[in-house]
Amino acid sequence: MVVGGGIAGMQAALDLADTGFYVYLVEKSGAIGGAMPQFDKTYPTNDCSMCIIAPKLVECGRHSNIRIITLAEVEQVQGIEGDFTVRVKESPRYINQNRCIACGQCADICPASAQDTFNCDLGPRKAVFIKYPQAVPLKYEIDESICLHLNHEKECGICRDVCPADAIDFQDTVRRHELHVGSIILAPGFQAFEPPKDSIWGFGKFPNVLTAMQLERILAPTGPTGGMLTRPSDNTPPKSIAFLQCVGSRDKNHCRNEYCSSVCCMYAIKEAIMVKELLPDVEITIYYTDMRAHGKDFDRYFIRSKKEYNIQYVRTKIHSLEPGERRGSLRLHYANEQGRQVEKLFDMVILSVGLETPDSAISLAERMGVHITPDRFASISAFMPVSTSKKGIFTCGAFNGPRDIPQAVIGGSAAAACAAELLSSARSQQTEAVAYPEERHVADNSPRIGVYVCRCGTNIAGVIDVESLAEYAATLPGVVHVEQNLFSCAQDTQGFITRQILEKNLDRIVVAACSPRTHEPLFRQTLKAAGINEFLLEMANIRNQDSWVHRNEPEAATEKAKDLVRMAVAKVTLQKPLYPVKVPVIPNALVIGGGVSGMTTALNLAGQGFTVDLVEKSSLLGGNALHLYQTWSGEHVPLYLKELQERVFEEENITVHLKTKVTDSTGHAGRFQTTVKGGTGRKKIIEHGATIIASGGKRYIPKEFSYGKIPNVVASIEFDKLHMHNEMRIANGKSFVFIQCVGSRNKQRPYCSKSCCTHSIQSAIKLKKEVPSRRIYILYREIRTYGQRERIYNQARELGIIFINYELHGEPVISEGENGALVQVHDHILHRPLEIEADLVILASATLSNPDSKDLANIFKLPLNSDGFFQEAHVKLRPVEFNTDGIFVTGLAHYPKPVEESISQSLAAAAKAAALLSKESIELDAVTALVDPKYCDGCALCIEACPYSAITLLETTDSDGGEHKIIEIDPALCKGCGICQGICPKRGVYITGFTYEQLLAQIEAALKPGM
C-alpha cells in the first residue's frame, strides 16, 4: 500500500505494479498528483509541470494493478512486516464516481463558493468542484462544509436537478476499508509554509506581497488570471519585483523550521525567468543568504539567469518591509555587503516560502509507530534512506526531508525496490495482465485521420491561434475529424480520444501538442485501447518546436504550426501498422562498478530473486566510499562498508568479478551479451537482461592554492586520514583554514560537487570540539548545507567557527609562512584584506566524472553531458534511466552526490531493472530498419556505419543460379536510428515509420503550403 498520491507516491505505486504487485494508492484529497499540478514549469529545463506529470497520472489512473482510493486516510495499522492489516477511512464524495462524466454543469450552477486552496486562495471555487483540470480521477466532489444542501436541511440541491448523469448522491456516507498488505510506503508529501499575517514580511497586510506558490498559480495557464501577471492592488503589470529567500526555512526566530527547504533558491530563479519572459522589461532582484543551486545543471541555470535575463542577486537579510510613497509600492530595508543601510522600492514582493511536513503526516506517523526527527521528517538512516523505524514500512518524497522532483521520483522507486524485496515471494500472485481489444484491420482503408490539437492551457494557445489551426487541419487530405483539447494528455481526454476513434471510425491519429519524447507512449496506449495499431500515430510538436521558440511571433508561430500539422498528416497517411518483436528476458543483471552504489543495487536485485554479475575493475569492493569516514549525520561509513562487502560475497545470487573490465556489449533490453576481461587477460561473455552503470567518479587533484608545493596544504580526503591518525600537524594545530569550491563551480566545471560544504563543516566541528581554543575558518562561495544539514551549519557558527565569503574573481592566495601557510583573503564583513596564519589549509576539491565513463558510453551507446557524467533520459521523470531501454545509471556516474543519495538512486535503479527482469518476455520497439531487396546491392556501407552491429552481409543465389550479396538486419539489435538509411546510396534500406515515401511526403508538404 502507498499512502500519498504525489509524484513520489505515484512512482512507488507504478514501479511496484510494473514489477508484479497489486497496489492500493491511498490519497487524502480528491485526486492524486500532490503539489506538482500547482507548479507551472520545472527547472532547469523549463518543462511544463503538468505535461511532465500527466503521463504518470494517466498511467496510474488506468493501471489494472493499482487501485486508487481518494478522500481517504489511514486510521489504524496492525501487524508486522509482510502481514499488515490497515483500516482506511474514505470520506464521502457525494458524487457517484461510476456515473460522473465531469461535464461541469453542477459546478456552473452551484451558488455556494469558497476560497480555492488549489489556487492558493487567489480566487473562489464552487462547493462542487474538481481539484484541478487534469485531475485523476477526473470526478467532481462536494465540499460538505459549504454545500447549502448538506448544511441547511436539504435546501438548494439544484446540482442534482441539472446533472445529466444522475451522479449527485447526497446520501453518500463514510466507507471503511480493511486492507491486507505486506508492506506500506509513506509518501504524504509537504505543505508550503504560510507566513503569519503579522510577520515582518507583510504577507496578508500588503496586497502586493505574495508567496511564491501564489505567483506559481498566477503564472500558470490554468491559474486564476490565465497566466497574466498584474499587481493585485491595481491590476497593472509590475515594473520591479523582489524575491525574498528563506521565508519559513533556515529561520529559528520567525518560524520553527531550522532546516533548509532545498528547492526555494531554484524555484525563485525559475519564476524570475518566467516573469522576465512574460514581462521582459521588469526589474527583478533576488535577496538571498546562500544560493543553493546544488543539483545537476542547477549552477548553469543560475549563471544563465544572470547573463541572459539580467536578474540581479543581492546577498543579505531583509530587515523590514513597509509601504512606499507610490501607491501600492513596497519599501525594503536591508544592509548591503558593504554594511550600508539600503532602502529600495518595488512594485511587488514575492516570498520564497519553504516546505514543511503537514500535521496530518505527523499524526499518520504516530499512528504507525514511525519515529520523527526534530525537524518533523521521517527519521531515516543514510544507509537505509527509505526505511522507517518500523520494519516493513518505507518512506519517500518530501516526508524524508525537503527535496526536488528528481529526488522524490528516485525516492519513490527506491521505496518500491525495498518493498519488492520484502514481498518478492508473492510477486504476480494478485496481479492481472492488461487486456486490449482485438486490433482493427485498417491497412487497406482510405485514411480516416483524426487531428487533436492541444491548447496546453496557454503554453500553446497563448501564442498559436488554435482555432485557426484546427480549421486549417480540417481542410487537409484524409482528415475527417478535428478536435481542440485543453490538455490532450489528461485522463479524460485520453478516454475521449478512444471513444471518438471508435465512434467516427478513425484509423490514423495526429496529435498536435508537445514533445513525443515524453508523451508518445501515452498516446500509443490510447490507440491500442481503441483497437487500432499503436503506430498509426504521428505527433506534431507545436509547443517545444513552435510556441516556446516563437513566443513573440504569434502569427509566424501559427503558420509554422500549420506546416507541422500538414507534414504530420502527410506522413501518417502513408503509415502502415507495425508490430514489435517479442523476445524472452534473461533474469540476470549486470552491475558495472563495485562501490556502494553497485553493491546496493546488486544486493536488492539478489534479494528479489534475480542473479547478478557484479563487475569491479579494482581488486576490492568499496569504490570512493573507501575514503569516507562518516555521513552528514555522523554514521560510521567504514563499518557499514565492511558489512556491505560481507553481504555481497555471502549472497549466492551475486557473482563478483574483481579486476575485471567491460570490453564490449551487444544485444538489447532483456537480452544483452557483454564481454568482460579479467586481470589475467581471459575474456568471458555474460548474458543478462538489464545493465546498471555504477562506475562512480573520481576526485579532483588540485592545481591551485599551492597544493603539492606547500606541505601544509592538503585535500579534504587526505585531511580525513591525517585526522584519523592524529597526525602531528593536526594534533598540535591551533589554526585551520578550509577552502571550498576547489576545482568546481568555475568555467571548466560549472557544477556543485554537493557534499563538500557538509564535509568541511563536519571536520571543522570535530576540530573545534577537540580543542575549543582552535581558530577555524571556512572560506566559501556559497554554503550549501541543504535540507536538515543546516543544523550542522548552525552548530558550527555557535561554536565560533568563522565563515568568510569569497568570489571567483577574488580567490584566496596562499603562500608559505614561518610555521605553516599564510592565507590572504578579502573579508566580506570587515571589507578589508585579511591574513590568516594556518597550521593546515584543507581544500574541498571537486568530484569529477570517471574517465572510464567514455569507454562505457561508447560500448553501450549512451550519452554523456558536457561534464562527462552520464545523461539520464529525463532529468525529472526518468532520473535513473536512459533512452536506451534496459540500461540504468546510479551514483557518481550520474552526478556528484552524498552517500545516502547514491544508495537511494541505486535502489531506484534496482526497481527499474526488476520491472524488466520480472517479465518472461518483452516487446522491443517496432521502429527498425528493413531491407528492400529490389534496391540493395550488398555494397555494405551500412555495416560499418551501424553503431549497434545489427547488420550482416549475406551471399544469396537467385532463381537463375547467379550469386549476389544482400544485407540482413537483426530486428532485436536494431534501434531504428536511421544511420543506415541515410548512408545507403540506392534506397536499399529504410526505417519502418520513416520510409522514403513518408519522408518525401513530409518534405513536399513543407514546401507546398497551399496543398
Side-chain angles (χ1 to χ4, degrees):
M1 181 176 73
V2 178
V3 183
I7 186 71
M10 288 193 297
Q11 187 63 62
L14 285 169
D15 283 336
L16 281 168
D18 288 342
T19 311
F21 300 98
Y22 191 84
V23 182
Y24 296 103
L25 181 55
V26 178
E27 165 59 33
K28 67 178 181 179
S29 72
I32 61 174
M36 194 168 170
Q38 291 181 283
F39 305 141
D40 182 28
K41 289 184 181 178
T42 64
Y43 54 82
T45 57
N46 276 18
D47 282 327
C48 169
S49 292
M50 277 311 309
C51 290
I52 282 181
I53 197 175
K56 289 193 185 295
L57 287 168
V58 176
E59 194 177 352
C60 277
R62 64 187 182 189
H63 203 297
S64 60
N65 293 320
I66 297 177
R67 178 186 171 187
I68 299 173
I69 308 175
T70 54
L71 294 173
E73 60 178 330
V74 174
E75 289 188 311
Q76 188 181 53
V77 175
Q78 294 178 322
I80 60 174
E81 61 174 337
D83 185 15
F84 290 108
T85 299
V86 184
R87 292 188 63 190
V88 175
K89 173 188 173 183
E90 182 183 0
S91 298
R93 184 180 285 264
Y94 301 107
I95 301 284
N96 188 316
Q97 292 193 66
N98 295 325
R99 292 182 179 177
C100 179
I101 57 175
C103 64
Q105 293 187 42
C106 54
D108 291 341
I109 203 169
C110 177
S113 63
Q115 287 296 98
D116 187 356
T117 54
F118 181 80
N119 278 321
C120 302
D121 296 339
L122 290 170
R125 64 151 169 80
K126 298 297 184 68
V128 55
F129 67 100
I130 54 173
K131 186 177 177 182
Y132 57 94
Q134 289 170 280
V136 174
L138 192 70
K139 306 294 180 182
Y140 277 79
E141 59 181 289
I142 295 178
D143 184 345
E144 64 181 1
S145 67
I146 60 171
C147 173
L148 298 178
H149 181 87
L150 294 172
N151 283 279
H152 295 85
E153 298 180 358
K154 300 186 179 180
E155 291 181 10
C156 192
I158 56 176
C159 57
R160 180 174 54 192
D161 299 333
V162 301
C163 178
D166 192 24
I168 308 296
D169 180 11
F170 289 120
Q171 305 305 313
D172 197 8
T173 58
V174 170
R175 297 178 180 84
R176 282 185 165 81
H177 308 274
E178 187 170 280
L179 308 177
H180 299 282
V181 300
S183 179
I184 301 170
I185 295 174
L186 301 181
F190 68 88
Q191 66 183 18
F193 174 78
E194 184 170 342
K197 304 300 181 185
D198 58 349
S199 69
I200 62 168
W201 301 296
F203 180 72
K205 187 189 306 182
F206 308 128
N208 295 328
V209 176
L210 301 174
T211 68
M213 291 300 295
Q214 288 178 315
L215 178 62
E216 200 78 45
R217 294 311 303 150
I218 289 172
L219 295 173
T222 57
T225 65
M228 300 301 296
L229 177 59
T230 57
R231 298 198 312 174
S233 64
D234 54 12
N235 292 321
T236 61
K239 295 181 180 178
S240 59
I241 300 175
F243 283 79
L244 309 188
Q245 299 307 107
C246 300
V247 176
S249 59
R250 298 187 68 188
D251 191 344
K252 293 190 291 184
N253 298 320
H254 299 102
C255 70
R256 64 188 177 187
N257 302 334
E258 182 177 349
Y259 56 86
C260 165
S261 288
S262 299
V263 299
C264 320
C265 288
M266 290 306 300
Y267 76 54
I269 297 173
K270 176 203 69 173
E271 289 179 351
I273 288 175
M274 290 167 61
V275 171
K276 290 289 281 187
E277 290 178 344
L278 186 66
L279 303 170
D281 296 328
V282 70
E283 175 192 337
I284 296 180
T285 306
I286 296 179
Y287 293 94
Y288 72 102
T289 306
D290 295 286
M291 190 51 58
R292 292 185 168 171
H294 49 266
K296 192 172 187 179
D297 289 330
F298 286 7
D299 260 314
R300 282 186 170 87
Y301 195 67
F302 175 35
I303 294 167
R304 181 182 164 212
S305 72
K306 293 189 285 188
K307 290 186 175 180
E308 294 184 23
Y309 294 93
N310 197 30
I311 295 167
Q312 303 300 308
Y313 292 85
V314 177
R315 189 192 298 273
T316 189
K317 276 280 191 181
I318 297 299
H319 174 268
S320 60
L321 184 152
E322 62 186 22
E325 291 82 3
R326 298 194 309 266
R327 186 175 181 181
S329 67
L330 298 157
R331 184 190 303 276
L332 296 186
H333 296 264
Y334 64 94
N336 64 16
E337 292 189 75
Q338 285 71 44
R340 297 173 183 168
Q341 294 297 315
V342 178
E343 294 182 0
K344 191 166 183 179
L345 291 177
F346 288 93
D347 289 337
M348 288 180 71
V349 170
I350 307 300
L351 308 179
S352 295
V353 291
L355 315 183
E356 58 185 16
T357 305
D359 291 339
S360 59
I362 300 298
S363 299
L364 173 67
E366 290 173 351
R367 289 195 296 274
M368 292 190 172
V370 170
H371 294 172
I372 300 297
T373 71
D375 291 320
R376 290 166 54 92
F377 298 109
S379 180
I380 54 177
S381 163
F383 302 139
M384 296 185 290
V386 294
S387 297
T388 69
S389 56
K390 187 162 184 176
K391 290 185 177 181
I393 299 181
F394 306 98
T395 178
C396 60
F399 192 41
N400 285 0
R403 58 201 58 219
D404 195 7
I405 294 168
Q407 279 67 51
V409 171
I410 286 170
S413 293
C418 291
E421 182 179 3
L422 173 63
L423 306 175
S424 59
S425 60
R427 180 181 283 117
S428 302
Q429 290 186 6
Q430 297 183 357
T431 55
E432 58 183 39
V434 180
Y436 291 105
E438 185 178 350
E439 186 176 301
R440 178 159 43 100
H441 183 65
V442 298
D444 300 328
N445 297 348
S446 297
R448 293 183 58 81
I449 302 171
V451 178
Y452 293 86
V453 182
C454 182
R455 302 181 71 88
C456 200
T458 58
N459 272 305
I460 292 173
V463 178
I464 295 170
D465 185 342
V466 174
E467 296 282 350
S468 173
L469 177 60
E471 291 175 4
Y472 175 76
T475 67
L476 296 173
V479 174
V480 298
H481 185 71
V482 178
E483 284 282 352
Q484 300 175 48
N485 310 116
L486 180 60
F487 293 104
S488 294
C489 56
Q491 187 180 29
D492 65 317
T493 308
Q494 296 292 298
F496 176 71
I497 295 173
T498 299
R499 292 192 297 274
Q500 286 211 321
I501 289 173
L502 296 170
E503 293 169 2
K504 300 184 180 297
N505 197 30
L506 304 178
D507 58 21
R508 288 167 178 81
I509 300 297
V510 170
V511 178
C514 55
S515 172
R517 179 186 172 201
T518 54
H519 284 64
E520 189 171 359
L522 178 68
F523 289 104
R524 282 188 183 182
Q525 294 300 311
T526 300
L527 267 63
K528 288 177 70 175
I532 63 173
N533 188 273
E534 63 182 297
F535 291 95
L536 296 174
L537 166 75
E538 187 66 21
M539 291 191 69
N541 191 347
I542 61 172
R543 188 194 68 177
N544 305 53
Q545 297 177 354
D546 194 358
S547 66
W548 279 4
V549 291
H550 304 297
R551 66 174 65 91
N552 298 319
E553 306 169 282
E555 292 183 3
T558 300
E559 290 305 309
K560 182 176 179 179
K562 292 177 181 179
D563 293 342
L564 291 169
V565 170
R566 186 173 63 252
M567 293 167 68
V569 168
K571 182 171 182 279
V572 83
T573 299
L574 301 174
Q575 180 67 326
K576 303 295 182 185
L578 302 177
Y579 299 95
V581 178
K582 194 171 185 178
V583 296
V585 173
I586 301 171
N588 178 60
L590 173 67
V591 178
I592 303 171
V596 166
S597 295
M599 288 190 286
T600 299
T601 303
L603 283 167
N604 182 269
L605 287 172
Q608 294 193 52
F610 305 110
T611 57
V612 180
D613 282 281
L614 179 60
V615 173
E616 166 57 39
K617 68 176 183 179
S618 70
S619 59
L620 72 164
L621 300 177
N624 288 287
L626 291 167
H627 306 290
L628 302 181
Y629 178 69
Q630 65 180 2
T631 68
W632 78 269
S633 54
E635 294 175 275
H636 194 250
V637 173
L639 180 60
Y640 168 73
L641 195 58
K642 182 181 177 182
E643 293 174 352
L644 202 63
Q645 292 165 339
E646 290 173 352
R647 287 175 56 201
V648 167
F649 284 115
E650 291 170 0
E651 174 57 61
E652 61 181 16
N653 282 338
I654 298 177
T655 302
V656 179
H657 306 267
L658 296 176
K659 300 172 70 174
T660 302
K661 294 187 69 172
V662 173
T663 59
D664 190 30
S665 185
T666 60
H668 50 80
R671 207 163 191 83
F672 292 98
Q673 297 85 36
T674 298
T675 304
V676 298
K677 183 179 180 181
T680 61
R682 184 179 179 184
K683 291 186 177 181
K684 179 181 179 180
I685 294 178
I686 298 173
E687 294 189 340
H688 53 104
T691 307
I692 296 91
I693 307 289
S695 52
K698 61 172 291 187
R699 74 182 183 101
Y700 172 69
I701 307 299
K703 299 178 177 61
E704 51 272 80
F705 299 119
S706 300
Y707 178 80
K709 298 175 182 177
I710 299 177
N712 294 65
V713 178
V714 300
S716 55
I717 287 182
E718 296 162 358
F719 168 80
D720 285 347
K721 297 188 183 302
L722 294 172
H723 195 188
M724 191 183 306
H725 294 93
N726 202 27
E727 195 261 355
M728 184 179 64
R729 288 172 294 178
I730 295 176
N732 300 329
K734 298 179 180 179
S735 177
F736 298 84
V737 174
F738 292 82
I739 301 180
Q740 302 306 110
C741 298
V742 178
S744 61
R745 299 191 65 222
N746 53 25
K747 289 184 179 180
Q748 293 77 29
R749 286 172 290 278
Y751 62 85
C752 171
S753 291
K754 203 165 186 177
S755 57
C756 322
C757 287
T758 302
H759 183 272
S760 292
I761 292 173
Q762 277 182 310
S763 301
I765 288 173
K766 288 173 66 178
L767 288 170
K768 193 72 172 176
K769 284 184 173 181
E770 288 169 358
V771 182
S773 62
R774 282 171 169 164
R775 300 184 306 278
I776 302 175
Y777 306 83
I778 296 181
L779 314 186
Y780 72 98
R781 291 178 58 203
E782 311 284 351
I783 292 295
R784 290 180 171 175
T785 46
Y786 58 95
Q788 296 178 86
R789 291 165 170 78
E790 186 70 9
R791 283 185 174 271
I792 66 170
Y793 180 31
N794 290 336
Q795 182 186 5
R797 290 186 293 175
E798 289 167 359
L799 288 171
I801 295 167
I802 298 172
F803 291 82
I804 301 174
N805 177 248
Y806 77 91
E807 297 299 327
L808 193 60
H809 58 267
E811 290 185 334
V813 176
I814 301 178
S815 56
E816 195 160 10
E818 292 183 8
N819 300 310
L822 187 65
V823 181
Q824 294 177 309
V825 64
H826 188 273
D827 191 296
H828 68 296
I829 301 297
L830 301 176
H831 312 296
R832 55 180 291 180
L834 181 68
E835 287 189 351
I836 305 170
E837 291 183 351
D839 295 306
L840 205 63
V841 176
I842 302 100
L843 306 182
S845 56
T847 299
L848 310 182
S849 59
N850 192 329
D852 292 341
S853 294
K854 291 183 179 179
D855 294 333
L856 290 173
N858 290 330
I859 290 169
F860 290 99
K861 312 300 185 295
L862 303 173
L864 300 173
N865 70 3
S866 56
D867 300 315
F869 297 102
F870 283 98
Q871 186 64 55
E872 66 275 32
H874 192 282
V875 65
K876 299 290 186 183
L877 279 184
R878 301 173 64 193
V880 301
E881 301 169 75
F882 292 105
N883 285 322
T884 302
D885 292 338
I887 307 180
F888 311 96
V889 65
T890 179
L892 299 184
H894 169 254
Y895 181 71
K897 52 180 67 70
V899 170
E900 71 272 19
E901 291 181 24
S902 289
I903 293 173
S904 185
Q905 189 177 25
S906 301
L907 292 169
K912 294 298 183 183
L916 168 61
L917 299 176
S918 61
K919 295 175 173 59
E920 291 185 2
S921 63
I922 59 169
E923 292 181 343
L924 301 180
D925 196 343
V927 177
T928 59
L930 291 180
V931 182
D932 190 335
K934 291 188 298 183
Y935 298 107
C936 177
D937 64 359
C939 70
L941 288 175
C942 56
I943 294 178
E944 186 175 350
C946 178
Y948 302 102
S949 303
I951 308 174
T952 54
L953 189 63
L954 299 178
E955 290 190 5
T956 62
T957 304
D958 56 30
S959 55
D960 298 329
E963 293 185 355
H964 67 277
K965 296 179 180 180
I966 191 171
I967 62 168
E968 182 180 61
I969 298 171
D970 185 340
L973 294 178
C974 178
K975 299 295 186 293
C977 67
I979 292 176
C980 55
Q981 183 172 356
I983 203 170
C984 180
K986 295 189 176 181
R987 298 191 178 185
V989 63
Y990 63 92
I991 306 299
T992 55
F994 297 88
T995 64
Y996 290 100
E997 291 75 18
Q998 287 177 296
L999 297 177
L1000 287 172
Q1002 281 188 289
I1003 293 170
E1004 290 175 1
L1007 296 177
K1008 296 180 180 178
M1011 68 178 291

